[in-house]
Amino acid sequence: MKLEFIALSNLAVSKSNMRYARKAPDISDILPTVRARGVIQPVLVRPCGGAQEGGADESAPRYEIVAGCRRFHAALAVAAERLAACTEAGEPDPEAAMLPCAILDDADDASAIEASLIENIARLEPDEVSRWTCFTRLVKEGRSVEDIGLTFGLPDLAVKRILALGNLLPRIRELYRAEEIDAATVRHLTLASKSQQKAWLGLMDDPDAYAPRGHQLKSFLFGGQSVPTGHALFDVEASGLVTVADLFGEQAYFVDGQAFWTAQNAAIDAKRAEFLEAGWADAVILPPETHFHSWEHEKTAKRKGGRVYLDVRGNGEVVIHEGYLSGKEAARLAKAEAAGEGASFSVNADRPELTSVTQTYIDLHRHAAVRAAMIDRPAIALRLMVAHAIAGSSLWRIVPEPQTAKSDAVKASVHDSWAEAVFDERRRAVLALLELPDDEPALIGGNGYGMRGSGRELCRLFARLVELPDTTVMEVLTLVMGEGLAAGSAAVEVVGTEIGVDMAKWWEADDAFLDTLRDREVLLAMVCEVAGKLVAEANAGEKAKTLRTIIRSHLAGADGRTKREGWVPRWMAFPPSAYTQRGGVGTVAAHARAFASPESEDDEPQQAEGCDGEGGESAEGGLRPDPDCEAAAEPDGEGDRLAA
């Protein structure tokens, strides 16, 4: 590096300069100093080719400014002022057009970017978004996170935190630069997908909506309780569970809460066994709905019979309290010690009757004997299975179908449907039969940690089911299976077809359904079904809104139209079929999977292939059009003909 005065006309701001922009930067804070003392700190430049056209010396080499953009613009302003003053006085000022420069070697762009950022950090500190821009360019130039950290004296975590901003949408970065959102909100937004970020921005733009921030945003992204990986008692990497990490590198969370609890419950049981092996009198597992209250217990040593309490929290955390007895038990112990009986108590508590190996031996042999004997007692096995499905255990966890939908209208339609009313009435009857609160939203879903004596405690439920006759137990089983049946699954297709479900008995078209229909070809086929071929032909050129109105009128028998009773669209029927050959009908695809032969499991299901539909199948394997409605359809192309 060498120092040299260079004419302003032979200088230009490099694109590697972090303050490079078409608009001149703000120099109001340094301009008075430059006027009075000139540019004291040389700017960093590097050669960039021939002389600038029209410069003071066209034969002189040109340089680009790597660091010192604001000083350069301040020098230009002062030079213009002095040149104007000298012109009025008739005295040229050649020094006014010169700037002190430190000339760098003609290095690569990465070195220039580093020089620009180092020099500027010492002056006007850039915001994190500006640093992200430069760090990203350095990475593209081949610099690693470690290299960047060493160059700028930053820990690797700080560099990763800045680089993580690149996973945000540009508008979110600009909101952060403008300090309209805080660092905590940005940290949680790095957990979000691009679609979730767009949804959050939509809430920001909606004056009637609330965009969650901070910790509320984390709950918004995870749809409820989030479970940090730090709460796991098991090896997260060895478990294979999917996690999503805070891109700032500070926290990670489990994606599948159910899978976490399965592994966590097993780890809790193993931890309890470790405490018993270590000689503790007992290790008590407290479920999430129960908490350990220190004021109700007293500290008691292991040798005096102290217990271990494993306090399981709803967020997955397990707080371990070693060496406690309840207040009453501690009082009895103190009384026994005062009477001289504490020694025998201590010996018994310190040395259990059975070693852990002996206890394991006994447990496994008793388990083997019970399950072998149960082979000849199917009625007992059935009741035990139902009790496990409801209460759960360390090996059983069944969750009810959540019946979630993004549309409030769809949620309300399902909630108010006849089928849901019938099922809910039977659910409340079964809850009362099992002596459970009748206002609980679901029968199944226990995690295996029901409090002793509570309605959802496994042994109590089993005892209650043993008292009931087989027919009643089978009724309970139908409710259990109904709650655990996944919506949209192949299982629904198999069961519905086997039973021969008549959807007209359980469902009728409502506004929530009709308002979702947008495809004009499908709507025209539906008009043909509810109103007939002549009406469909007469309205073949109408818009989707008009076709929906015609369907509504016929289903309601309004506006002088003939009422159509018991109409069910082809997608809803058992078996289902499609209206077109374009595909994209989930029920048809699920039905194809359910009844696919083993030889065709790897084949792609044909969405438009109906099962015993009105049109049936053609010899070529496609669908025959409904002859009554074929003329009414006006497909956009040969591949979009109306299918039966």
Side-chain angles (χ1 to χ4, degrees), residues 177-493:
R177 187 202 296 268
E179 298 182 355
E180 294 186 30
I181 54 178
D182 57 15
T185 300
V186 168
R187 181 178 301 112
H188 294 313
L189 282 172
T190 60
L191 291 164
S193 63
K194 291 294 190 290
S195 60
Q196 287 177 313
Q197 293 179 29
K198 290 178 181 178
W200 185 82
L201 286 173
L203 294 176
M204 283 279 291
D205 295 334
D206 188 349
D208 298 326
Y210 170 71
R213 304 189 181 210
H215 291 288
Q216 292 180 339
L217 175 59
K218 184 171 65 174
S219 298
F220 167 78
L221 296 176
F222 283 93
Q225 184 70 55
S226 56
V227 181
T229 55
H231 291 169
L233 295 182
F234 53 89
D235 188 335
V236 177
E237 293 185 5
S239 70
L241 297 184
V242 180
T243 61
V244 57
D246 176 344
L247 294 180
F248 283 0
E250 296 182 0
Q251 189 58 277
Y253 303 89
F254 289 100
V255 173
D256 189 343
Q258 180 181 349
F260 161 79
W261 279 110
T262 300
Q264 186 77 333
N265 289 340
I268 292 172
D269 290 338
K271 180 65 71 174
R272 178 180 183 273
E274 289 178 9
F275 284 117
L276 295 177
E277 176 73 18
W280 289 96
D282 195 6
V284 181
I285 299 174
L286 300 177
E289 62 267 20
T290 306
H291 296 290
F292 178 85
H293 301 297
S294 58
W295 61 86
E296 295 178 348
H297 298 77
E298 289 190 18
K299 195 74 175 174
T300 307
K302 181 198 297 185
R303 61 184 177 82
K304 293 185 177 182
R307 297 192 187 95
V308 176
Y309 290 87
L310 293 89
D311 189 3
V312 183
R313 305 293 174 85
N315 63 352
E317 183 181 9
V318 180
V319 181
I320 299 175
H321 307 275
E322 294 186 15
Y324 282 91
L325 286 176
S326 67
K328 292 182 179 179
E329 291 172 324
R332 286 200 299 268
L333 175 61
K335 185 177 180 180
E337 289 180 336
E341 301 173 2
S344 60
F345 181 89
S346 300
V347 171
N348 292 335
D350 190 46
R351 190 168 59 189
E353 183 175 340
L354 295 179
T355 65
S356 62
V357 176
T358 306
Q359 186 64 61
T360 301
Y361 178 92
I362 293 172
D363 289 342
L364 292 177
H365 275 282
R366 284 164 57 85
H367 170 266
V370 168
R371 69 180 185 179
M374 194 166 52
I375 293 175
D376 298 325
R377 301 291 299 276
I380 293 295
L382 173 64
R383 286 159 172 78
L384 185 60
M385 184 185 70
V386 173
H388 273 79
I390 297 174
S393 73
S394 59
L395 300 179
W396 280 66
R397 180 75 194 279
I398 303 176
V399 296
E401 161 59 45
Q403 296 181 304
T404 56
K406 294 181 180 179
S407 169
D408 291 337
V410 173
K411 291 179 183 177
S413 176
V414 174
H415 181 270
D416 298 336
S417 67
W418 171 243
E420 194 64 19
V422 170
F423 192 89
D424 188 60
E425 181 181 357
R426 297 293 290 273
R427 178 198 288 122
R428 289 197 299 271
V430 168
L431 288 170
L433 182 68
L434 298 178
E435 300 177 359
L436 297 172
D438 62 0
D439 58 349
E440 291 196 10
L443 180 62
I444 64 175
N447 59 13
Y449 288 121
M451 294 179 62
R452 186 167 298 170
S454 70
R456 286 194 178 272
E457 200 265 326
L458 177 64
C459 297
R460 183 184 178 281
L461 271 172
F462 174 69
R464 180 68 181 124
L465 289 167
V466 168
E467 298 172 355
L468 301 176
D470 288 350
T471 54
T472 304
V473 174
M474 295 301 290
E475 290 179 8
V476 176
L477 180 59
T478 60
L479 269 292
V480 168
M481 191 61 251
E483 288 190 351
L485 186 61
S489 66
V492 173
E493 299 302 318

Side-chain angles (χ1 to χ4, degrees), residues 67-228:
C69 175
R70 298 173 72 241
R71 280 165 283 164
F72 171 64
H73 282 279
L76 285 176
V78 172
E81 293 172 358
R82 291 183 179 178
L83 182 60
C86 291
T87 301
E88 291 178 4
E91 299 176 359
D93 184 11
E95 293 185 0
M98 307 295 286
L99 188 68
C101 301
I103 303 175
L104 299 171
D105 295 332
D106 190 7
D108 57 10
D109 287 341
S111 298
I113 295 169
E114 289 176 350
S116 171
L117 188 55
I118 291 172
E119 220 269 357
N120 278 283
I121 286 177
R123 294 182 176 276
L124 184 61
E125 183 176 359
D127 56 68
E128 284 194 352
V129 178
S130 297
R131 292 191 184 191
W132 166 79
T133 302
C134 292
F135 285 1
T136 303
R137 291 164 67 183
L138 284 174
V139 170
K140 290 180 179 178
E141 291 290 338
R143 295 292 195 271
S144 66
V145 172
E146 293 75 14
D147 293 338
I148 297 173
L150 289 173
T151 301
F152 300 107
L154 297 173
D156 293 348
L157 180 59
V159 177
K160 291 178 180 178
R161 178 178 298 172
I162 293 172
L163 289 173
L165 297 177
N167 292 277
L168 300 173
L169 293 174
R171 187 179 166 208
I172 294 179
R173 287 198 296 269
E174 291 305 315
L175 290 172
Y176 184 42
R177 187 202 296 268
E179 298 182 355
E180 294 186 30
I181 54 178
D182 57 15
T185 300
V186 168
R187 181 178 301 112
H188 294 313
L189 282 172
T190 60
L191 291 164
S193 63
K194 291 294 190 290
S195 60
Q196 287 177 313
Q197 293 179 29
K198 290 178 181 178
W200 185 82
L201 286 173
L203 294 176
M204 283 279 291
D205 295 334
D206 188 349
D208 298 326
Y210 170 71
R213 304 189 181 210
H215 291 288
Q216 292 180 339
L217 175 59
K218 184 171 65 174
S219 298
F220 167 78
L221 296 176
F222 283 93
Q225 184 70 55
S226 56
V227 181

